[in-house]
Amino acid sequence: EILPMTLLLLPLALAASGWPDISVAPAPPGGGERDAAVLVGIENYANLPDITGAGVNVADWQSWLLRTRGVRPVAISRRLDGDAVDVNIREALHDAVAKVQPGGTLWVVYVGHGAPSDNNAQPMLVGADAQPSPDGIRSRSVFLSEVQQILAEGPQAHTVLVLDACFSGQGVDGRELVAERLAPARGVPDLVAPRSMTLLTATSNNQYAGLLPGTARPAFSYLLLGALRGWGDDDGDGVVTAREAGDYAAGALNLVVTGRRQEPRTSGEVDLALARGRERGPDLSALSRATSNVAPGDTAMNLGGNTDFARAAGVARA
């Protein structure tokens, strides 16, 4: 669980970084009374690198689903940290399938590690108790194909799957999750959802899902939720589609992330209206300038799989 002091300090930390605090959900336009949701956030892995801020992001999504979207509390299944093992993730998915109503939307938000399976590079959602080896990860994870199969059993009109994870076998800092290679060729192909589902993923293949610059929280799920509050309403009609939300997150990451590339992908039912909101987003231009200013003596280079070594050499010379 998130410590109360952490919740008190987070708005101050966000204000200092220039990113808006999204812990307080906007006034409710509703529309989610028939929805159900699964929220999985794994900040503290037992044997793998932690993901700082995963629990905070999930808490913000829960607030939005409850207060803004109007989802019934009984229809939200949440699994955090040690509770987010593979068996419990499957249980939460089945629970949501049973509680979503015809015509509603089934939401799944996962903030944690992803990985390719070691034998066929199929994407997996890594459970909190996974062991630091290819077999130890595979045996404690849930294959994405299984997630999609379970979700397809529900009566919902729409399914929205948000994955703030990468499937390249890397952590949030670009380092390999385990010393042994997780797949014959690291990573999995770019994920593509069927037309009956909306899939929003944090990266393209062989990239890694990093933190929001200037903060200690995963970038993609924060930016995507901001987009649903209105930041991503590109045409100003007060409605945010999946395409608009994904494009906003991708554009923001392109502007503010330095030293690596993180390119989110949206597939499936991309024109689905996900939310109504008119909240104005942060000044990305100012945030881009702030994140590009590197003070002498504070230079750090990320040597992950997507490092631009020519740029890194230029930074080192500077």
Side-chain angles (χ1 to χ4, degrees):
E1 294 293 332
I2 303 167
L3 295 176
M5 184 58 70
T6 303
L7 291 175
L8 289 173
L9 294 176
L10 181 63
L12 296 177
L14 284 172
S17 70
W19 295 102
D21 173 24
I22 58 173
S23 61
V24 179
E33 294 77 13
R34 291 177 291 180
D35 293 1
V38 176
L39 303 176
V40 179
I42 310 177
E43 185 156 345
N44 300 301
Y45 275 85
N47 305 290
L48 298 175
D50 293 339
I51 301 181
T52 304
V56 173
N57 280 18
V58 163
D60 289 348
W61 272 89
Q62 177 177 280
S63 176
W64 180 82
L65 286 166
L66 286 170
R67 186 172 188 271
T68 304
R69 181 73 182 170
V71 180
R72 296 163 296 146
V74 71
I76 295 180
S77 298
R78 188 179 67 169
R79 299 292 185 271
L80 298 176
D81 289 346
D83 192 35
V85 298
D86 58 336
V87 174
N88 291 348
I89 293 173
R90 293 187 184 95
E91 178 188 62
L93 292 168
H94 284 294
D95 185 57
V97 165
K99 290 179 177 175
V100 69
Q101 298 178 2
T105 298
L106 181 48
W107 301 79
V108 177
V109 179
Y110 175 84
V111 187
H113 287 308
S117 64
D118 58 339
N119 53 357
N120 55 11
Q122 291 297 308
M124 304 180 294
L125 307 184
V126 180
D129 62 344
Q131 302 297 309
S133 69
D135 183 64
I137 288 179
R138 186 185 65 250
S139 64
R140 304 293 178 88
S141 298
V142 182
F143 280 89
L144 181 58
S145 58
E146 183 181 358
V147 173
Q148 293 173 322
Q149 183 179 357
I150 294 172
L151 297 178
E153 298 171 358
Q156 68 274 10
H158 308 287
T159 302
V160 178
L161 182 54
V162 175
L163 300 178
D164 197 343
C166 68
F167 301 94
S168 61
Q170 301 172 86
V172 295
D173 58 359
R175 299 179 184 179
E176 301 291 337
L177 290 179
V178 298
E180 302 171 69
R181 179 170 288 183
L182 289 174
R186 191 182 68 187
V188 300
D190 286 337
L191 305 181
V192 178
R195 280 292 305 169
S196 58
M197 176 180 292
T198 302
L199 177 62
L200 300 113
T201 58
T203 68
S204 298
N205 66 324
N206 289 340
Q207 298 174 349
Y208 65 91
L211 301 180
L212 189 70
T215 76
R217 61 191 297 168
F220 178 64
S221 48
Y222 168 88
L223 291 169
L224 194 65
L225 182 55
L228 298 185
R229 294 165 66 105
W231 305 359
D233 182 18
D234 188 54
D235 57 9
D237 65 352
V239 176
V240 182
T241 66
R243 190 194 305 274
E244 286 179 318
D247 285 351
Y248 177 83
L253 286 167
N254 182 59
L255 281 177
V256 303
V257 170
T258 59
R260 64 180 177 87
R261 295 192 67 81
Q262 182 177 341
E263 301 167 305
R265 290 285 184 261
T266 305
S267 62
E269 198 176 1
V270 297
D271 294 321
L272 175 65
L274 297 182
R276 287 178 286 162
R278 294 185 178 275
E279 183 175 292
R280 296 190 62 179
D283 185 342
L284 293 177
S285 178
L287 286 166
S288 176
R289 289 193 297 271
T291 57
S292 64
N293 291 332
V294 180
D298 291 338
T299 301
M301 296 184 193
N302 190 315
L303 299 183
N306 299 288
T307 300
D308 183 338
F309 286 97
R311 184 183 181 283
V315 172
R317 285 193 296 272

